[in-house]
């Protein structure tokens, strides 16, 4: 069976937003989480360690070949694109920036849509620009679900607004409601 994968994209204000989501997910969370935060390499490792200390889930900066597992959070390293590869492993790519950024949310979301299709959930959080919009379109087209952060809690409403304006969000949630929604959406069917 294909497991559930949650792909999260964020930029300015993202670390604070992630600290309002990841620590509030239980140790037995039944989905893997892949995160792109626009950030330099030296900062992504520190963010992963902070989230790991705060969370019941294992959080780490992704390394090539890391397994995509339920209850595990992988954060794309700054300066590298992260993709969900075949065999439930991540691949890191040192290719050109996409949407002027590396890592790019669109690159991650595209790979998640291709492999996990209707088992994917894309979450677009606070940030400048429109990175993640095309990826959100692909996840939605593949049968996955898209959640966008509400303007009221976004530090910068650029990335969520782009997804909302393109009518790609299934739901728009304030930050504090996103962890409960992820728990609800991934609850095993009775």
């Amino acid at each position: 069976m294909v497991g559930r994968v949650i792909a999260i994209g964020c930029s300015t204000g993202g670390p604070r937003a992630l600290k309002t989501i990841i620590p509030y997910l239980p140790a037995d969370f039944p989905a893997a989480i892949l995160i792109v935060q626009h950030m330099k390499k030296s900062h992504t490792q520190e963010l992963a360690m902070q989230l790991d200390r705060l969370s019941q889930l294992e959080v780490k900066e992704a390394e090539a070949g890391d397994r995509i597992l339920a209850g595990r959070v992988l954060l794309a390293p700054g300066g590298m694109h992260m993709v969900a590869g075949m065999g439930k492993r991540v691949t890191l790519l040192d290719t050109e920036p996409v949407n002027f950024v590396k890592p790019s949310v669109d690159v991650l979301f595209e790979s998640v849509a291709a492999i996990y299709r209707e088992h994917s959930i894309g979450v677009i959080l606070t940030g400048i620009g429109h990175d993640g919009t095309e990826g959100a379109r692909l996840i939605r087209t593949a049968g996955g679900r898209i959640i966008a952060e509400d303007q009221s809690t976004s530090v910068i409403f650029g990335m969520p607004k782009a997804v909302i304006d393109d009518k790609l969000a299934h739901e728009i949630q304030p930050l504090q409601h996103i962890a409960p929604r992820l728990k609800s959406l991934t609850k095993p069917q009775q």
Side-chain angles (χ1 to χ4, degrees):
M1 181 185 128
V2 176
R4 297 297 299 258
V5 169
I6 296 166
I8 300 177
C10 46
S11 188
T12 308
R16 180 186 65 86
L18 293 169
K19 289 172 187 171
T20 309
I21 297 172
I22 305 303
Y24 295 92
L25 299 174
D28 62 350
F29 191 66
I33 301 174
L34 304 175
I35 301 172
V36 163
Q37 160 69 54
H38 297 159
M39 192 177 255
K40 292 184 175 143
K41 167 76 176 143
S42 57
H43 296 94
T44 49
Q45 186 171 25
E46 178 58 33
L47 176 60
M49 290 189 306
Q50 287 175 13
L51 287 169
D52 187 60
R53 283 192 298 271
L54 294 169
S55 305
Q56 298 176 65
L57 302 175
E58 175 199 7
V59 184
K60 71 182 293 278
E61 184 182 54
E63 298 173 79
D66 274 345
R67 302 225 23 230
I68 299 169
L69 301 169
R72 179 184 237 190
V73 181
L74 297 174
L75 177 69
M80 300 288 280
H81 294 303
M82 180 171 69
V83 299
M86 299 306 289
K88 296 186 178 181
R89 293 188 184 274
V90 295
T91 302
L92 301 178
L93 304 173
D94 189 10
T95 53
E96 292 300 310
V98 173
N99 300 319
F100 309 103
V101 292
K102 188 166 75 171
S104 165
V105 179
D106 276 338
V107 171
L108 173 63
F109 279 26
E110 179 181 356
S111 69
V112 168
I115 294 174
Y116 292 93
R117 307 196 53 76
E118 71 274 13
H119 301 286
S120 56
I121 299 171
V123 181
I124 296 287
L125 302 175
T126 178
I128 296 169
H130 60 85
D131 187 31
T133 303
E134 284 311 307
R137 187 182 320 282
L138 293 169
I139 288 176
R140 185 173 176 125
T141 301
R145 189 159 192 85
I146 299 296
I147 300 172
E149 183 179 354
D150 188 279
Q151 183 173 4
S152 67
T153 58
S154 293
V155 173
I156 302 285
F157 191 52
M159 287 166 55
K161 182 179 188 311
V163 167
I164 294 164
D165 286 352
D166 277 9
K167 300 186 176 10
L168 299 173
H170 290 93
E171 51 189 288
I172 302 161
Q173 295 285 353
L175 194 52
Q176 65 274 17
H177 291 178
I178 294 176
R181 282 299 294 142
L182 293 177
K183 287 191 273 190
S184 174
L185 289 168
T186 56
K187 195 180 329 184
Q189 300 300 315
Q190 301 300 326

